[in-house]
Each structure stands twice: as C-alpha cells, then as structure tokens.
C-alpha cells in the first residue's frame, strides 16, 4: 500500500486506502470522517499511517 499522489487532500492516506480497496476516494474520506465521530483516537491512526506508509513512487500505476 502507498499513500496516493493523485487522490490526496492532506497526506494521501485515504486516497491510498481507496486505491488499495478499489473504492472511490470520496467514499473513503466520508467513511473516515464518520468513523472519526466515534470516540477514539482515529486521528492517531491517520498520523501513524502518514508516517509509516510510504508515498506512491513516481510513475507507479495501480490496476
């Protein structure tokens, strides 16, 4: 999995999840936002993925 270069708003985490699962990036962002309303440290998971998941290499294409 990579953080997306094409479907990025902040760090490309949701875009990378969307590319990996085949879901539309907007749907992943909406689901992430809805899940973040549930009490818990979802923002910590986002920051951890931002740090740990590498950015998509230039010229990399997902199928």
């Amino acid at each position: 999995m990579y953080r997306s270069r094409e479907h990025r708003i902040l760090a490309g985490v949701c875009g990378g999840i969307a590319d990996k699962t085949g879901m539309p990036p907007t749907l992943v962002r909406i689901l992430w936002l809805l899940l973040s309303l549930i009490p818990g440290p979802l923002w910590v998971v986002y920051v951890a993925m931002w740090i740990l998941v590498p950015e998509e290499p230039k010229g990399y294409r997902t199928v």
Side-chain angles (χ1 to χ4, degrees), residues 1-17 19 46 48-62:
M1 181 177 150
Y2 295 110
R3 291 184 292 121
S4 178
R5 286 181 183 269
E6 182 179 347
H7 304 290
R8 106 179 332 177
I9 289 181
L10 183 61
V13 173
C14 290
I17 293 171
D19 288 342
Y46 188 90
M49 290 181 72
W50 187 348
I51 294 168
L52 297 174
V53 175
E55 189 171 42
E56 178 180 82
K58 290 184 180 179
Y60 179 80
R61 287 285 180 174
T62 57

Side-chain angles (χ1 to χ4, degrees), residues 14-35:
C14 290
I17 293 171
D19 288 342
K20 183 71 173 176
T21 61
M23 297 171 62
T26 304
L27 179 60
V28 173
R29 289 184 188 105
I30 290 170
L31 289 173
W32 195 275
L33 179 64
L34 291 174
L35 286 173

